[in-house]
Amino acid sequence: MLMNQNTSPSATEIPSVLTVLNEKTWQKFDFARDAKGQLCYPTDPKAVKFCLFGAIERVCGGDNAKITQVMHKAREHPKFALYGVTCLNDMACDWNTLEKLIKEAGI
C-alpha cells in the first residue's frame, strides 16, 4: 500500500492494484469494460475488466493526486521507467510478467 505523505496514514492508504487486477480481470488496450464487454470508466461499479492504468484509477477512486502518487511509485521501477505503464500493459507483457512487475514496484 502507498501512503500519501500529506495526511494521516489511515485516511490515505491506496490498495495495491492487485486487489482488482488478476489474470481474469486484466485486459489490454482499454481502461475498463463491464460484464457485457462495453467500455466504461474504471470507477464505474459495473467495471469488471481493467488494463493496468484502469486498475490504478479504480484503486485510487479516480482521485488524480492518488493516481499521480501511484504512477510516480511505478516509475521508480526500471521497466516502468523505461517503457511506461501503458506500453508494458498493452505491448510488452503477458499477465505473469506484468503481475511480477507490479509486485516488484510495490503498486
Side-chain angles (χ1 to χ4, degrees):
M1 273 187 207
L2 295 173
M3 306 296 272
N4 183 329
Q5 297 173 356
N6 298 329
T7 56
S8 66
S10 62
T12 61
E13 292 180 355
I14 302 171
S16 167
V17 296
L18 294 175
T19 61
V20 296
L21 203 59
N22 59 55
E23 191 169 14
K24 293 181 180 180
T25 62
W26 175 64
Q27 67 178 5
K28 294 185 174 197
F29 306 113
D30 299 313
F31 290 154
R33 289 188 177 268
D34 65 19
K36 295 179 181 179
Q38 299 297 310
L39 293 173
C40 61
Y41 289 102
T43 53
D44 186 327
K46 294 178 183 175
V48 295
K49 293 189 78 84
F50 307 90
C51 71
L52 178 54
F53 187 81
I56 290 169
E57 188 170 341
R58 176 67 167 239
V59 299
C60 292
D63 181 313
N64 286 332
K66 290 180 180 180
I67 293 167
T68 299
Q69 185 179 350
V70 174
M71 295 297 285
H72 282 291
K73 177 71 174 166
R75 284 193 290 270
E76 291 174 4
H77 188 283
K79 294 247 178 178
F80 284 117
L82 181 61
Y83 297 108
V85 165
T86 54
C87 184
L88 277 173
N89 183 87
D90 295 344
M91 294 180 245
C93 284
D94 59 20
W95 168 250
N96 293 326
T97 303
L98 186 63
E99 180 183 34
K100 181 181 178 214
L101 293 173
I102 290 167
K103 289 176 179 179
E104 288 175 359
I107 59 167

